Amino acid sequence: MAAPTVLEIALPTPLRRRFDYLPPEGVDTTLLKPGQRVRVPFGNQRLIGLILRVKSESSLPLQNLRPAEALLDTKPLLPDDLWRLCLWAADYYQHPIGDALHTALPVLLRQGEPDREKGEPYWQLTTEGKGLPEGALKRAPRQAELLAALQQRGALNRADLAALGIARSHVKTLEDKGLVFSREQVLTPSPEPNILRDTPLTLSDEQAAALAQIPEDGFHISLLDGTTGSGKTEIYLQAIARTLSQGRQALVLVPEIGLTPQTLARFQRRFAQPVVALHSGMNDRERLDAWLQARDGRARIVIGTRSAIFTPMADLGILIVDEEHDSSFKQQDGFRYSARDLAALRAHRLNIPLILGSATPSLESLHNARTGRYHYLRLTHRAGNARAPELLTQDIRRQPLDEGFSRDTLERIRTTLDAGNQVLVFLNRRGYAPTLECPDCGWLAECRHCDTRLTLHQTPRHLHCHHCDHQRAVPRACPSCKSTRLQPLGQGTERSEEALQRHFPDTRVLRVDRDSTRQKNAFRDLVEEVHRGDPCILVGTQMLAKGHHFADVTLVVILDSDAGLFSTDFRGPERMGQLLLQVAGRAGRADKPGQVIIQTHHAEHPLVRTLLERGYHAFAELILSERRLTGLPPFRHMALIRAESKRPENAVAFLKQVRALAEQRHPPGHELGYLGPLPAMLEKRGDRFRYQLQVNAANRGALQKLLSQLAPEMEQHALAKRNRWSIDVDPQDMG
DNA sequence: AGCACGCCGACT
DNA sequence: GTCGGCGTGCTC
Ligand SMILES: [Zn+2]
Ligand SMILES: [Zn+2]
């Protein structure tokens, strides 16, 4: 008897197991390959899984195996290099393999859609439709009109229908009557011989030197460290041009917030070759089509956010990660991969160059540059003859503040507006005020479901928890003492907007935060208005800091620069510095030097002073030396095991046992250290109590080995079922 | 995670 | 009488 064929399948479940199935009935087993999708029965659901292995035995008796229902692909979905990268990442980030693979695929492929592009639909008459006598369908004039047009022209596409002014519903009716049928065709533009559309800018000596040090092929990681306006993008564009002329593709990753139509337009203006985007604003079909175009090589440049690191590329020749320090490159739930770190691995496996660019590189990357893993490239000059903005620290400890603004700040805002320039006010707190307080008894509006205060919003007026989305009406009287003198406590963007409007009644004050830009084109319209250049004040959150440059802004005011300085997250100060410089970088350009006012309560703090007096590199150096002493990343490696439960004791007990298991496997010492379980930064959130166990290691190997042993044991543990738990390798956010 | 089964409170 | 609350068990 011939050996049986058994399929080892990855299924989208949180179970850290692989499932064995028999091949679908009637399928030639020689056609079965790892990486193909199958539809399988699972309990009483049907799931889409991926073949991991085709083997001839199973640890289960064969009669217990169910046959797969269908084979969905004739070829593996992913090219081999990407397939292996996904498997590696599931392992490294300790995520169940089926779920990891599903996360890496476009939604429609997860759902079992064929890996084929949807073409442009067009309609033709069926035989029956053709046989219809002239003047038929008298009682349905629009349908008759459509029939006549089809009889005359043979076929109509969407544009034709629009031109004729015929709604799709009429076409649908005729389809249902069997008179018309639809087909689709994929439009394949003929390959474009030219690489460039616009002529490249002339590089400065510094830029040219940097580009010359980036090899055209072979594995190589460059950390391109250049201040705002120093022309990093031009280097990316010219490096991409070299790759395209070798006939290879480019993949560019940008932060969530940075993939604006302007970014895309800049690439499309420069290159004659097809550029596609992959971002959250696209629907599932658009994303799949772009993915397919990248895979078969029609798309030559792909620009995308985090998940685009999993785009299959027919012949990838260069990888670029812009704003590499941005935390959006690390997925914060489910499959917690770092797209930046995976980019490094992908470049290594493909033997191609990777450029990591930032004005404020992450400490990890600076460390890697220092130890020689990355090639360090520095751009210090701003393009043209632009000068760096002037930084002014304002110690606000003993100054009277008017709604958060010092007198001097207001004075400078006025001067700037009078000179016909624009002002940007940065406050990383949306809403009207961080909370509502009762001055008579000290009551504060707290969230019922979280350990946090409710934020007061005025447009529309309500109290809102930013952590669990809980909302409630604003009470008229204090729930505790019935006082009616409830008042907002602290400053949010809405309140700053109101205060600025009161001080400058004749000036446009524009608020930019998630609330004010919720409507579809709100942000675009606002950007357009600001670009017209009339004096105005922009007030907003980090939405203002990232992506957009406003050329007529000559004064930037940073109101709450200290947030993050005393955070329990060890990355708080690093992020504060990066955000601060990013905001500061919005000020001024060639012909208009900029000014940045930093209002701070901690003007004497060594980190603040270092950052403002000696710059980001000295600041980074200072933090790195602290990290070395305290044994934090990048000097030691870290994983966070989190657990949350409605009953706090469940989470604590589970993590205590996990720690015991871990210490059994590997006693604490230099190689591996354990800390916790400790309450998370927000201990209670959405009615769940959150705790975490920190594991730190001298090297990745030891951490990896421990976690790989621990994960299956945790899954088996009785207490695991009473908790939601996860493992976060290289955590970005300690919350 | 889903999704079943299963056994006790307040509804048509 | 049943609709539905979520406890626990299983998925090749
Ligand atoms: Zn009160
Ligand atoms: Zn809440």
Side-chain angles (χ1 to χ4, degrees):
Chain A
M1 185 175 151
T5 303
V6 175
L7 304 179
E8 190 173 301
I9 310 287
L11 291 172
T13 95
L15 301 168
R16 312 172 107 80
R17 239 173 296 161
R18 297 156 176 231
F19 295 87
D20 285 351
Y21 283 85
L22 297 173
E25 272 157 44
V27 168
D28 176 357
T29 55
T30 61
L31 299 177
L32 297 162
K33 297 270 152 39
Q36 290 169 331
R37 290 172 299 164
V38 282
R39 191 174 50 240
V40 298
F42 186 71
N44 35 16
Q45 353 170 24
R46 6 171 72 57
L47 296 178
I48 307 295
L50 286 148
I51 302 177
L52 291 168
R53 223 149 65 85
V54 182
K55 53 191 188 177
S56 55
E57 82 301 310
S58 173
S59 52
L60 270 72
L62 287 185
Q63 64 268 23
N64 288 8
L65 302 186
R66 300 168 77 177
E69 281 175 4
L71 176 66
L72 301 181
D73 299 307
T74 52
K75 283 185 290 185
L77 268 187
L78 300 178
D80 194 54
D81 70 289
L82 184 56
W83 174 248
R84 294 210 322 270
L85 183 79
C86 292
L87 298 179
W88 182 90
D91 214 43
Y92 180 79
Y93 292 105
Q94 299 294 333
H95 196 70
I97 195 161
D99 201 55
L101 287 167
H102 263 241
T103 309
L105 291 177
V107 172
L108 289 180
L109 295 182
R110 291 178 213 172
Q111 296 170 350
E113 282 286 308
D115 58 343
R116 247 182 289 113
E117 218 177 314
K118 185 134 192 123
E120 267 295 294
Y122 63 92
W123 290 269
Q124 287 177 298
L125 291 173
T126 60
T127 328
E128 202 182 333
K130 282 180 189 149
L132 231 54
E134 220 166 300
L137 294 169
K138 265 205 203 63
R139 305 196 39 209
R142 314 275 14 222
Q143 292 175 34
E145 194 184 331
L146 177 55
L147 271 181
L150 279 167
Q151 265 153 3
Q152 197 193 339
R153 288 154 68 174
L156 296 173
N157 63 21
R158 252 195 302 221
D160 299 331
L161 289 179
L164 289 166
I166 295 173
R168 286 283 284 278
S169 62
H170 299 121
V171 187
K172 185 77 179 47
T173 314
L174 289 187
E175 275 185 70
D176 292 344
K177 287 182 181 168
L179 302 174
V180 163
F181 70 94
S182 73
R183 281 277 168 77
E184 54 187 56
Q185 74 177 28
V186 177
L187 304 169
T188 337
S190 46
E192 164 65 49
N194 293 326
I195 303 287
L196 295 176
R197 194 183 310 272
D198 276 4
T199 341
L201 306 177
T202 308
L203 296 181
S204 68
D205 291 349
E206 195 180 50
Q207 286 174 310
L211 181 64
Q213 290 197 57
I214 301 170
E216 294 192 25
D217 48 34
F219 172 61
H220 184 271
I221 302 181
S222 317
L223 176 60
L224 182 58
D225 177 346
T227 48
T228 313
S230 62
K232 291 188 291 293
T233 309
E234 188 57 32
I235 293 183
Y236 304 153
L237 292 171
Q238 299 202 16
I240 291 171
R242 296 187 318 198
T243 304
L244 295 182
S245 35
Q246 296 169 22
R248 308 185 76 184
Q249 295 165 289
L251 175 57
V252 183
L253 303 186
V254 297
E256 207 70 65
I257 216 158
L259 190 36
T260 59
Q262 287 93 316
T263 314
L264 195 60
R266 181 153 181 201
F267 279 81
Q268 284 166 336
R269 272 200 311 275
R270 174 64 58 88
F271 296 107
Q273 303 273 320
V275 180
V276 302
L278 278 167
H279 59 82
S280 54
M282 295 161 70
N283 67 33
D284 294 342
R285 175 44 71 178
E286 292 168 330
R287 291 185 72 118
L288 176 56
D289 287 352
W291 190 93
L292 291 166
Q293 287 167 24
R295 189 179 67 169
D296 71 18
R298 269 175 298 154
R300 305 308 296 169
I301 301 174
V302 175
I303 308 176
T305 50
R306 180 180 57 236
S307 62
I309 189 56
F310 296 119
T311 314
M313 305 287 289
D315 189 7
L316 185 59
I318 190 167
L319 261 161
I320 292 171
V321 179
D322 189 28
E323 307 292 348
E324 64 84 28
H325 65 280
D326 196 275
S327 57
S328 75
F329 289 122
K330 180 84 161 58
Q331 175 124 25
Q332 298 287 9
D333 51 66
F335 180 23
R336 307 171 110 100
Y337 63 95
S338 158
R340 183 241 283 151
D341 295 350
L342 289 179
L345 187 69
R346 196 167 177 187
H348 180 71
R349 298 234 173 139
L350 288 172
N351 196 31
I352 59 169
L354 161 66
I355 307 176
L356 300 173
S358 177
T360 52
S362 65
L363 299 190
E364 279 85 353
S365 294
L366 283 175
H367 180 67
N368 281 329
R370 209 137 302 171
T371 57
R373 285 194 56 206
Y374 297 172
H375 194 84
Y376 187 62
L377 302 173
R378 181 86 188 271
L379 299 178
T380 54
H381 304 304
R382 290 189 153 207
N385 51 359
R387 267 181 294 146
E390 180 190 0
L391 303 180
L392 306 164
T393 320
Q394 250 187 51
D395 190 337
I396 50 171
R397 272 171 302 184
R398 274 173 220 88
Q399 284 198 46
L401 293 184
D402 183 341
E403 301 276 344
F405 295 92
S406 78
R407 186 171 301 214
D408 183 56
T409 298
L410 289 171
E411 214 31 66
R412 285 179 194 267
I413 292 176
R414 181 174 308 282
T415 320
T416 307
L417 294 171
D418 288 347
N421 293 319
Q422 298 176 338
V423 177
L424 187 154
V425 175
F426 175 76
L427 174 62
N428 212 5
R429 230 181 285 129
R430 62 195 176 88
Y432 187 81
T435 196
L436 189 67
E437 83 167 326
C438 169
D440 295 323
C441 74
W443 173 87
L444 294 170
E446 283 168 343
C447 179
R448 208 182 311 154
H449 310 284
C450 310
D451 281 335
T452 190
R453 316 271 158 76
L454 293 168
T455 304
L456 175 65
H457 287 251
Q458 294 287 32
T459 50
R461 184 171 163 81
H462 70 293
L463 291 166
H464 196 149
C465 176
H466 287 180
H467 297 280
C468 75
D469 228 28
H470 170 65
Q471 302 182 31
R472 50 172 291 193
V474 180
R476 286 198 56 248
C478 171
S480 160
C481 75
K482 305 285 173 260
S483 163
T484 51
R485 307 200 306 144
L486 293 179
Q487 61 187 32
L489 179 66
Q491 291 292 132
T493 46
E494 289 178 18
R495 194 175 188 181
S496 300
E497 174 192 22
E498 184 187 272
L500 288 164
Q501 195 64 83
R502 203 174 53 242
H503 276 286
F504 307 100
D506 303 323
T507 302
R508 271 286 270 170
V509 178
L510 301 154
R511 178 162 57 89
V512 186
D513 54 31
R514 222 159 67 219
D515 304 310
S516 73
T517 54
R518 211 176 291 278
Q519 277 163 328
K520 225 181 168 172
N521 293 321
F523 191 55
R524 203 201 55 198
D525 294 349
L526 192 139
V527 169
E528 261 171 40
E529 176 172 354
V530 178
H531 280 182
R532 255 174 264 140
D534 299 329
C536 68
I537 305 175
L538 284 154
V539 48
T541 57
Q542 52 181 321
M543 283 189 83
L544 279 178
K546 315 213 166 180
H548 286 273
H549 191 70
F550 299 107
D552 297 301
V553 168
T554 59
L555 175 65
V556 166
V557 178
I558 301 175
L559 289 183
D560 66 341
S561 64
D562 307 324
L565 202 51
F566 299 101
S567 157
T568 48
D569 187 335
F570 70 87
R571 274 185 241 267
E574 174 187 355
R575 268 194 239 117
M576 175 205 75
Q578 290 164 345
L579 190 56
L580 207 134
L581 289 191
Q582 216 158 49
V583 181
R586 308 290 94 177
R589 56 163 188 183
D591 50 333
K592 292 177 179 176
Q595 250 183 4
V596 182
I597 301 176
I598 296 150
Q599 293 195 175
T600 173
H601 287 100
H602 304 283
E604 301 305 318
H605 192 289
L607 282 174
V608 175
R609 287 191 54 178
T610 306
L611 178 66
L612 299 179
E613 289 165 16
R614 299 174 47 218
Y616 183 75
H617 292 85
F619 170 79
E621 202 60 62
L622 189 58
I623 299 182
L624 276 171
S625 60
E626 281 174 16
R627 298 253 187 104
R628 185 198 296 278
L629 286 174
T630 44
L632 287 167
F635 298 97
R636 285 180 73 83
H637 305 282
M638 193 183 276
L640 225 47
I641 301 178
R642 307 172 210 265
E644 54 177 72
S645 166
K646 297 224 157 138
R647 315 244 93 254
E649 58 272 20
N650 284 338
V652 175
F654 178 55
L655 290 179
K656 274 189 178 157
Q657 303 232 22
V658 172
R659 177 166 181 171
L661 278 170
E663 293 192 341
Q664 224 172 39
R665 296 266 163 278
H666 200 120
H670 170 72
E671 195 162 53
L672 282 167
Y674 310 100
L675 183 66
L678 295 170
M681 267 205 275
L682 209 63
E683 184 172 355
K684 181 179 150 200
R685 175 168 169 178
D687 288 322
R688 310 185 86 92
F689 292 85
R690 308 152 68 236
Y691 289 83
Q692 54 198 34
L693 174 64
Q694 208 189 94
V695 185
N696 57 81
N699 58 75
R700 286 204 157 88
L703 187 59
Q704 218 37 47
K705 186 161 164 249
L706 176 80
L707 294 174
S708 302
Q709 289 177 331
L710 219 47
E713 293 183 272
M714 289 172 66
E715 189 180 11
Q716 299 298 29
H717 200 103
L719 280 171
K721 291 185 229 5
R722 298 181 183 275
N723 283 286
R724 276 164 67 165
W725 63 275
S726 63
I727 301 176
D728 191 350
V729 179
D730 305 333
Q732 196 61 58
D733 226 313
M734 303 296 291

